[in-house]
Amino acid sequence: MPVLALFGSYDPEHPRLRVLIEAWRARGGTIVECHAPLWPDDRAGLPSGGLLRWIFPWLGTQWRLWRQRKILREADAVLVPYPGHFDMPLARHLAWRYEKQLAFDPFLSLYDTAVTDRGLYAPNTPQARLLRFIDRFSLRLADLILADTSPMAAYYAKLAALPPERFSVIPIGADNVFSPPPEGGCPAGFPPTSPARVHRTEAGDAIQVLFYGTMIPLHGITTILDAARQLQDAPIRFHLVGEGQVPLARMLAEHPLPNVHHTPSVPRAQLPALLTEADICLGVFGTSPKTARVVPHKVYEAAAMGKPIITADTPAMREAFDEAVALVPAGDATALATAIRELAVAPVRRQAMGVAAHKRFEQAFSLEAIGDRLTEALG
């Protein structure tokens, strides 16, 4: 059985990594780990307090990884998962030392996320230039770079001036907890007091529209709110779950919408419950260039559960799902409101869309399908 070594300061519970691990094992592979935690949470850009604050903790992490280096001897390939940009120099050295293929799964570009999408730094600031350098340097150290979509691979290739053959497209997918529940049943982890069930009870028989995420600009929260405002008189209720850079709670306090319910946070284990209760699921609607290159977790997860999905019309989304989801122009609240209204009164169409999305997921994004791609790339 092929042995894959995970190397770095990654978060073992990050959804992207969980899928990669499960997909590798689904195809008979074995995982070994050379791991030393560093990051306190999932972040893009420089750590809070600046880079200098993290030099000594980073050095300590690298020392702990060095002490575990012999684990790599038994591996057929080494993978540095997200967020592994700062782990790549040591990984490169050890991969050369033990004559192993080195793969890097950046998951995102630090520059693209912090500067282009979230606007945390202006493009010509020292922080932005540093993030761009870290992106380029870490990508160039890898023998193989994993990208979740073809547009993302093209972006990385241009950013680091690398040839296309250095990249392999491995979609994000979703793990097995996201699957259609038994007829008339609910998935595990769905207590009577869960936010999904409480919201459904409060909203009555209205059509339920679900969005969940970390409320970053990529998601296009203002577009969703504007669409909800246009649908205030319709029997349609929105459940928005999450908090983050976009101050959703404050926005709703200043401009209340009676058809919008906000839950600040929900344990990941309860996401299948939220999806089960939803009639329509929303993807992303931001207008930054990054939106055109990504297919987020929430879209794969909704597709895995056979839910009808509305999301922005982008090259990445067309490549992944094409006609299996409803596509609207990014940032167009009126188009989104129209698409929701039309689906709300068309139960047969909603069911057909859910079936199509689930079929597409099973064909291209199941653990087995991703495992095939991963083993081929690292074989």
Side-chain angles (χ1 to χ4, degrees), residues 8-9 12 44 88 92 132 152 161 199 244 266 269 290 295 300 328 331 342:
S9 55
M88 283 299 292
R92 177 69 276 170
R132 187 178 180 87
M152 203 70 223
H199 172 65
V266 164
K290 185 178 179 180
V295 178
Y300 290 111
V328 299
E342 290 176 350

Side-chain angles (χ1 to χ4, degrees), residues 259-302:
N259 58 339
V260 174
H261 177 75
H262 176 219
T263 302
S265 65
V266 164
R268 183 165 177 79
Q270 288 191 18
L271 290 182
L274 291 175
L275 288 159
T276 296
E277 286 296 288
D279 297 303
I280 299 170
C281 295
L282 300 183
V284 293
F285 305 93
T287 56
S288 74
K290 185 178 179 180
T291 305
R293 296 191 286 267
V294 302
V295 178
H297 291 284
K298 60 180 66 63
V299 172
Y300 290 111
E301 290 160 0

Side-chain angles (χ1 to χ4, degrees), residues 3-7 30-34 71-72 75-80:
V3 178
L4 177 63
L6 304 180
F7 180 92
T30 300
I31 297 286
V32 296
E33 297 189 63
C34 183
I71 293 173
L72 304 184
D76 298 296
V78 177
L79 172 64
V80 177

Side-chain angles (χ1 to χ4, degrees), residues 169-180:
V169 175
I170 310 293
I172 290 175
D175 59 41
N176 280 333
V177 301
F178 295 95
S179 59

Side-chain angles (χ1 to χ4, degrees), residues 193-271:
T193 57
S194 73
R197 179 164 287 171
V198 169
H199 172 65
R200 184 87 198 195
T201 301
E202 292 174 345
D205 295 329
I207 291 295
Q208 307 300 307
V209 179
L210 172 68
F211 172 87
Y212 59 88
T214 52
M215 305 300 169
I216 57 177
L218 168 74
H219 294 158
I221 300 303
T222 55
T223 299
I224 296 173
L225 291 179
D226 287 346
R229 188 169 290 107
Q230 296 180 39
L231 295 171
Q232 287 185 80
D233 296 331
I236 299 169
R237 298 295 178 265
F238 291 74
H239 190 188
L240 309 185
V241 179
E243 54 189 349
Q245 183 180 350
V246 177
L248 178 59
R250 189 182 73 196
M251 294 166 69
L252 289 173
E254 294 174 352
H255 303 284
L257 287 169
N259 58 339
V260 174
H261 177 75
H262 176 219
T263 302
S265 65
V266 164
R268 183 165 177 79
Q270 288 191 18
L271 290 182

